[in-house]
Amino acid sequence: MAPAWLSLVFAQYVLILATIEADCETTACSSNMLVQLRAKVARRQEAIDVVHILSMGREASCFVLDLVAGNGSHPTIFEPLGGVVEGEGIVTMPAWQTDSVLQCLYDCHNCTGNVVNRDSYSNLQSYCEKLDKTPDTAPYLVVKTTRIVDHGALVRAVPAEYLANSRFIVLLRDPRGVWASTKPFSGWAIHSIPLICELLALQALTLPELSLAVGRRLLISVYERWTLDTSRFGGEVARLVNEDMQAFRVLGKDGQRATDELLPPSWVADLSTDELTEIENNDNCRAYMQRVGYAAGSWNASDIKDQAGLVAALSPAEAAVLSTLRSKQSALQTSASRQEMRSCSVHGKVASPSEAQKLVFTPAAKNVKG
């Protein structure tokens, strides 16, 4: 549901439009005036504050970030959780921590410096200052994260009116390709096939929840498809974020790789038989591959599902996999809550949660200026 201020502004525009159209019946009214006014109404309905690129990593998210940002024309926040949440912590991150992070990313006015890394916090504060000075002309903020993979957490934490003013790009890739790309970086906290399988499964199995909440404001991009035609992908991104189609197609085309570099995918030569077996036999990776449409024992991508298939309701087996993955968060959350209750107990009374654990959204300046 749109916030009240937006409904009021839109109603005012509609009233003005109706008045002008009525006058035009008896006067030589310029049709150009009507066109311009209708365009203003459309833009106001389609206000975009945040474009969130959701990835688990090694899915060409940096290229997508540059594209969505219009080659530097939009402010960006890059990996706000880098150095704050690593490795297994991505899967077991308690709800209050996820909520606090999303509070920062979707409302810079309620951001504290202890939930995102220093660079991201500084960039968010700079963006917030510009937002306060020029709320009507501030460009959308582009955010790229590889540590928010449970889309249900995002839907739970962010109020509907903020979701309505945001756009979402979810990046997916064959787990064999993700591992082949991660494999050389042995010092990384996600350097683990079982962990990568968990992260990917959380990504794919929570897409129905995200889609239900944001509808057409979502673009799901599968690496093995969009990388074959980056110009077309640029056009899809432009359509999502209301930018110039031709300009974004040109930006996309600049990143096109030769077909023989993409097919067959590099993992065919880079991974051992043991690695392929471990990935394809992992319960979480198997669920992910079946959900997206990857075939075990083959790099053929012809069965990859379209967006409608990717956001379809979960099967009972998929729901069971997701429940098992989320039980890690639930167990940790319960444990952390009990520990905090013990540590915060004063004279037999339980103190209030710390400020970092409170999630209170208030309208950003861009959304309340009349």
Side-chain angles (χ1 to χ4, degrees):
M1 184 175 67
W5 70 267
L6 181 56
S7 299
L8 178 60
V9 171
F10 179 61
Q12 291 174 338
Y13 273 128
V14 170
L15 179 60
I16 295 170
L17 181 60
T19 301
I20 292 176
E21 287 180 325
D23 290 344
C24 285
E25 294 180 0
T26 56
T27 65
C29 181
S30 169
S31 61
N32 186 51
M33 183 187 300
L34 289 175
V35 171
Q36 291 178 354
L37 187 57
R38 287 195 181 101
K40 288 181 179 179
V41 172
R43 283 196 298 272
R44 195 65 263 171
Q45 284 184 294
E46 295 294 325
I48 301 175
D49 294 338
V50 176
V51 179
H52 195 161
I53 301 167
L54 293 146
S55 167
M56 67 76 46
R58 315 314 295 170
E59 295 166 327
S61 55
C62 288
F63 170 79
V64 178
L65 174 68
D66 290 339
L67 175 61
V68 177
N71 198 25
S73 62
H74 288 268
T76 62
I77 301 298
F78 177 84
E79 298 305 342
L81 289 180
V84 179
V85 177
E86 303 291 351
E88 188 69 23
I90 302 170
V91 180
T92 58
M93 193 189 314
W96 67 261
Q97 186 176 10
T98 309
D99 290 354
S100 295
V101 171
L102 291 166
Q103 172 184 347
C104 271
L105 301 183
Y106 283 82
D107 184 358
C108 56
H109 293 81
N110 282 321
C111 198
T112 57
N114 59 343
V115 295
V116 295
N117 59 42
R118 183 177 301 176
D119 287 343
S120 293
Y121 181 68
S122 176
N123 290 342
L124 280 164
Q125 294 311 298
S126 296
Y127 173 71
C128 222
E129 291 174 5
K130 294 177 181 177
L131 191 64
D132 291 338
K133 292 177 181 178
T134 58
D136 294 329
T137 59
Y140 58 69
L141 174 69
V142 186
V143 178
K144 180 179 90 74
T145 60
T146 57
R147 292 163 175 81
I148 301 292
V149 294
D150 185 338
H151 304 119
L154 188 155
V155 171
R156 180 197 67 242
V158 181
E161 61 266 30
Y162 282 75
L163 295 177
N165 287 346
S166 302
R167 300 294 182 271
F168 305 88
I169 300 176
V170 176
L171 303 179
L172 305 176
R173 187 179 183 180
D174 190 314
R176 295 163 295 192
V178 172
W179 172 244
S181 184
T182 306
K183 182 179 175 181
F185 303 99
S186 57
W188 283 11
I190 63 165
H191 194 270
S192 159
I193 288 176
L195 176 56
I196 285 174
C197 289
E198 289 183 347
L199 297 172
L200 288 172
L202 271 172
Q203 255 200 311
L205 298 180
T206 56
L207 281 172
E209 294 176 56
L210 180 60
S211 176
L212 186 63
V214 305
R216 63 183 180 82
R217 298 184 293 275
L218 168 66
L219 174 63
I220 304 173
S221 302
V222 181
Y223 181 90
E224 289 76 18
R225 289 282 178 85
W226 71 261
T227 53
L228 293 175
D229 191 345
T230 53
S231 175
R232 179 179 178 179
F233 176 62
E236 293 175 349
V237 171
R239 189 178 302 111
L240 179 75
V241 299
N242 296 338
E243 291 285 354
D244 182 82
M245 185 81 66
Q246 185 58 34
F248 268 53
R249 286 183 67 94
V250 171
L251 287 174
K253 188 176 182 179
D254 287 343
Q256 183 65 63
R257 295 167 58 192
T259 302
D260 59 6
E261 294 180 29
L262 298 168
L263 299 175
S266 59
W267 61 260
V268 173
D270 293 345
L271 299 186
S272 67
T273 301
D274 288 344
E275 289 171 310
L276 292 173
T277 298
E278 182 178 357
I279 293 169
E280 293 175 358
N281 289 340
N282 180 284
D283 288 343
N284 291 314
C285 264
R286 184 185 298 114
Y288 173 83
M289 292 175 70
Q290 291 175 352
R291 182 69 186 179
V292 182
Y294 295 111
S298 172
W299 57 267
N300 189 311
S302 60
D303 291 332
I304 290 177
K305 297 176 184 176
D306 60 14
Q307 182 147 323
L310 291 169
V311 302
L314 299 184
S315 68
E318 289 175 324
V321 171
L322 178 57
S323 178
T324 299
L325 287 168
R326 281 179 165 168
S327 68
K328 290 188 173 186
Q329 297 170 320
S330 300
L332 185 68
Q333 175 70 4
T334 301
S335 174
S337 297
R338 288 174 178 170
Q339 179 61 37
E340 185 181 358
M341 288 177 68
R342 286 194 293 269
S343 64
C344 292
S345 180
V346 181
H347 302 300
K349 296 181 179 180
V350 178
S352 299
S354 63
E355 288 301 317
Q357 296 187 28
K358 295 179 181 178
L359 181 67
V360 182
F361 273 83
T362 57
K366 183 177 180 181
N367 291 336
V368 298
K369 186 176 179 67

